[in-house]
Amino acid sequence: MAILKIARMGHPVLLQRAAPVEDPTAPEIRRLAADMIETMEDAQGAGLAAPQVHVPLRLFVFRVNPDRATGDADDTAVLPHRVVINPSVTFIGEDARLRWEGCLSIPGLRAAVPRAWRIRYAGVDTDNQPVGGEVTGFHAGVVQHEYDHLDGIMYPMRMTDFSLFGFNEELMRAAQSQMATKASGS
Ligand code: NI
């Protein structure tokens, strides 16, 4: 296994449409998926798409950590990590909500991006077994984000309100001072 180099926004590989994986069970695809999981975990990311590691193929990995799962019946469950190859995504219903996203290719920044609350997605894993299902919340959001990478779409291209875009540190500082103001009752 290996930690892979992550392409940052501005690199052309992030803007191209990725090609389908011909054989999801091929040894090089298994190795790529394993390396991507290791790279995602090392970078403390929630998801990583193959174009982000300079491989323009339709494959991504993601995970739903316990701190992301709200426990609400309509929200997401914890998922250690999942490989999704040659995926399709269908929006269910009209409900779109702003969710805060970061991206390993846009380090240090976050933004609020409108995403469908409920989706259905389908793909296969490296054993060619079907993965996916109908999901909501964080799970649905991260799948939409990673799927976009396969079509050369970065999250700023989905944004509608650029005032909700900033550096993690500044956004955290702003949230903390807002909480302090609320706590003091002013
Ligand atoms: Ni990303």
Side-chain angles (χ1 to χ4, degrees), residues 44-158:
Q44 299 183 347
L48 186 65
Q52 291 182 276
V53 292
H54 305 84
V55 179
L57 289 176
R58 302 188 80 77
L59 182 160
F60 62 77
V61 300
F62 73 100
R63 57 181 173 171
V64 180
N65 282 344
D67 60 319
R68 304 289 199 170
T70 61
D72 291 352
D74 196 36
D75 200 358
T76 201
V78 174
L79 196 67
H81 50 67
R82 174 169 277 180
V83 179
V84 188
I85 299 171
N86 297 336
S88 65
V89 173
T90 312
F91 298 161
I92 300 176
E94 301 290 311
D95 187 5
R97 304 185 192 179
L98 285 177
R99 67 183 286 271
W100 284 92
E101 296 185 10
C103 180
L104 294 176
S105 296
I106 314 176
L109 291 159
R110 305 189 74 67
V113 183
R115 298 288 186 187
W117 177 252
R118 184 180 295 274
I119 64 162
R120 182 177 299 117
Y121 73 103
V124 296
D125 64 14
T126 52
D127 294 321
N128 217 8
Q129 294 301 304
V131 291
E134 190 174 319
V135 297
T136 55
F138 182 83
H139 192 153
V142 73
V143 166
Q144 289 170 76
H145 177 116
E146 299 313 326
Y147 183 84
D148 269 354
H149 276 302
L150 309 183
D151 288 338
I153 298 168
M154 306 287 288
Y155 76 70
M157 295 153 78
R158 293 284 190 201

Side-chain angles (χ1 to χ4, degrees), residues 155-176:
Y155 76 70
M157 295 153 78
R158 293 284 190 201
M159 288 184 64
T160 49
D161 181 351
F162 287 91
S163 70
L164 301 174
F165 194 17
F167 288 94
N168 287 329
E169 278 174 27
E170 297 295 345
L171 291 165
M172 211 177 296
R173 197 175 303 170
Q176 277 165 357

